Amino acid sequence: MTRRTKETRISAAINLDGAGKYDIRTGIGFLDHMLEQLSRHSLIDITLRAEGDLHIDYHHTTEDSGIVLGECLAKALGNRAGIRRYGNAVIPMDETLTEVAVDASNRPYLIWKVNFSKPKLGAMDTELFKEWFQAFAQLGGLTLHVWNQYGENNHHIVESCFKGLARALRVAVETDPRQQAAVPSTKGML
């Protein structure tokens, strides 16, 4: 998928049946690190290139990378037949504990219960992480709940959110051998 605006130029590809290989360059080192965690722990291969108006701030590049990866996910899932649909994970990371639950329902919604003690993590505004998760959930067709139960280190908090998403997504998009051709809904479609 490709997205070109006056603010960003982003192209991305994913392989749901991958091995967690990644080649990611957004121009934002910390975002690259988080997307690498997403790939590695979900076993979804991700290739992403982004050029954005980083001279202004990181907002557009962060949000638009979530949009493009969400679009990739939605396209890869197709009609969502044969997937498990639901996934969840509890991720401890040193002093931090975060829970993530995913429903690949094609009904996007984000619940974000994550607080940071500082407005920035390195050069990145911590409020941008919610923007990324919102864009990814919206375009990926995910109901996504992310709640950090506790933690002190902001790096650990956000990294546990991405790792939690990865592990929950890994289960949700996995093929269910008991219903390989069936859409996981009594409606017959998602």
Side-chain angles (χ1 to χ4, degrees), residues 31-56:
L31 182 59
D32 290 355
H33 179 49
M34 292 302 99
L35 298 179
E36 290 166 358
Q37 298 299 323
L38 176 63
S39 174
R40 178 65 188 101
H41 293 280
S42 67
L43 298 181
I44 296 172
D45 295 343
I46 299 175
T47 301
L48 184 136
R49 291 288 179 277
E51 294 177 22
D53 55 1
L54 300 181
H55 63 285
I56 294 173

Side-chain angles (χ1 to χ4, degrees), residues 9 17-18 33 42 60 65 87 129 141 150 158 163 171 175:
R9 291 164 306 288
D17 300 317
H33 179 49
S42 67
H60 300 133
S65 69
F129 297 114
Y150 47 83
V158 73
K163 286 178 176 177
V171 173
T175 302

Side-chain angles (χ1 to χ4, degrees), residues 120-137:
K120 288 198 175 280
L121 188 51
M124 190 163 184
D125 296 324
T126 51
E127 69 183 9
L128 294 180
F129 297 114
K130 181 180 180 185
E131 297 298 326
W132 187 91
F133 276 81
Q134 177 65 48
F136 184 71

